[in-house]
Amino acid sequence: MGSLPRDGQPIKLNGAISIICSILKFVASSAAEAELGALFLNAKEARIMRLTLHELGHPQPPTPIHVDNSTTVGIVNNT
């Protein structure tokens, strides 16, 4: 599949269709904040792809998003 960006994984649909590598436009004071920023960027990209597929007549089931930082998961789930 080739090399992946250091800070992200590709969004896959029968193979990689989108890889995002960007610099966050804020200073993260913790790993959880950095992961939350990356999560936001990936969710934005997923939303665009879901909307495009829906408009083409291919509605999608809910999109699972995985985060490996337990503090970030707690922030997202309000726990």
Side-chain angles (χ1 to χ4, degrees), residues 34-56:
E35 292 246 359
L36 196 57
L39 178 66
F40 173 74
L41 291 175
N42 282 294
K44 275 184 18 178
E45 184 74 13
R47 183 171 183 225
I48 292 167
M49 286 188 277
R50 287 177 52 82
L51 180 61
T52 302
L53 287 168
H54 181 76
E55 289 178 351
L56 292 171

Side-chain angles (χ1 to χ4, degrees), residues 7-76:
D7 62 341
Q9 293 293 320
I11 295 174
K12 294 183 178 184
L13 178 68
N14 296 329
I17 59 171
S18 177
I19 296 176
I20 301 170
C21 184
S22 66
I23 296 174
L24 297 175
K25 306 225 188 289
F26 63 90
V27 176
S29 61
S30 68
E33 283 186 11
E35 292 246 359
L36 196 57
L39 178 66
F40 173 74
L41 291 175
N42 282 294
K44 275 184 18 178
E45 184 74 13
R47 183 171 183 225
I48 292 167
M49 286 188 277
R50 287 177 52 82
L51 180 61
T52 302
L53 287 168
H54 181 76
E55 289 178 351
L56 292 171
H58 301 284
Q60 302 297 301
T63 303
I65 298 179
H66 302 280
V67 179
D68 63 356
N69 184 302
S70 59
T71 305
T72 303
V73 172
I75 292 169
V76 170

